[in-house]
Amino acid sequence: MKKTILITGTSSGIGKATVIEFAEKGWNVIATQRNPEKETDFNAYNNVKLYPLDVTNLNSIVTTIQAVKEAFGTIDVVVNNAGYGVDGAFEAMTDEIIEKQFNTNVFGLMRVTREAIKLMRPQGGGMIIQISSMGGKITFPLYSIYHATKFAVEGFTESLHYELAQFNIKLKLIEPGPIVTDFYGRSRQFVKPNDTDAYDSFITKFNDAAQNVMKDAEGPEVVAKTIYTAVTDGTNTMRYAVGKPGPMLLILRKILSDKLYFLMVRKSYKL
Ligand code: NAP
């Protein structure tokens, strides 16, 4: 029998590439989006079904999961992909900006996870894939709030896996490095103070170096393939690093002292 996967945030980037990866592998794919009426890229796949889902709106999550359950019976895998990044100077970030970032990347992911568990436990199991980031284990300048959300996703998921193993529900974390998507374009929220230029030189140096990193960045298909591996490899591996230079940086962070890691980051961004 065909397996069913539900993915959040599939209008672009990693979410869209993951829909296509699983559709081409013959799965039933539930592609969810905030505004699915705009979507046309999945028309070629009759095994892809579009549903509305905004991770900040519990009602939309419950309604869609219920509708999918009625249509397909079970959901084997849920991918928590929806998310975006706030960057810039922390002192300019309002409560509203911080709360919205957490409401999407952390509380949204928790809501979907909770509703997925309620469905998967009685059905005898399933898998929940969290799209974290290399930024859930290591940090770079000017991403304090984004890192805080992804560090939260890592801790939440790691603790949760203990209680869900008894119900045959697996949890896995995908940790992408820099990936060419709308993350750095339309989805980005950049913040700096209006009343001072105190951060300008730091921000310019960081952005110049970051653009260089992006020249070598891979496309979202590489993450989609890693998600497919995580879902199908039959192991209990929890973390999958992907997207150069992410995997190498994660190893360096494990073996370097804080002092050496901070020095390496400062040097690479000329700070
Ligand atoms: P993207 O192309 O900007 O895609 C983000 C997706 O999330 C869009 O489909 C967006 O939908 C959706 N989304 C945002 N808020 C939502 C909400 N409240 N409810 C439902 N969907 C929502 O960026 P991406 O790189 O593919 O990002 C996907 C995930 O990968 C994120 O969790 C991100 O943190 C993570 N990640 C990205 C990178 C990277 O370098 N690109 C690296 C590590 C981790 P709309 O069209 O409605 O805005």
Side-chain angles (χ1 to χ4, degrees), residues 8-16 32-35 53-57 80-85 103-105 131-135 146 150 174-188 214 220:
T8 65
T10 64
S11 67
S12 60
I14 293 168
K16 177 156 279 185
T32 71
Q33 297 181 4
R34 286 195 277 201
N35 301 299
L53 193 153
D54 179 338
V55 299
T56 65
N57 178 337
N80 265 310
N81 167 72
Y84 71 99
N103 198 18
T104 305
N105 291 11
I131 307 305
S132 174
S133 169
M134 69 173 173
Y146 179 71
K150 294 297 185 180
I174 309 295
E175 296 168 338
I179 301 293
V180 183
T181 67
D182 289 352
F183 182 90
Y184 302 97
R186 75 178 173 96
S187 302
R188 179 183 182 194
M214 288 314 290

Side-chain angles (χ1 to χ4, degrees), residues 208-224:
D208 288 352
Q211 271 178 6
N212 268 334
V213 172
M214 288 314 290
K215 279 185 198 146
D216 295 325
E218 296 173 87
E221 297 75 20
V222 73
V223 184

Side-chain angles (χ1 to χ4, degrees), residues 3 7 20-21 37 48 52 71 83 85 127 136 167 177 187 201 212 223 226 236 265:
K3 292 207 166 190
I7 306 164
I20 292 168
E21 177 72 19
E37 59 286 349
V48 177
M127 188 182 294
F167 304 122
S187 302
S201 136
N212 268 334
V223 184
T226 300
N236 287 325
V265 172

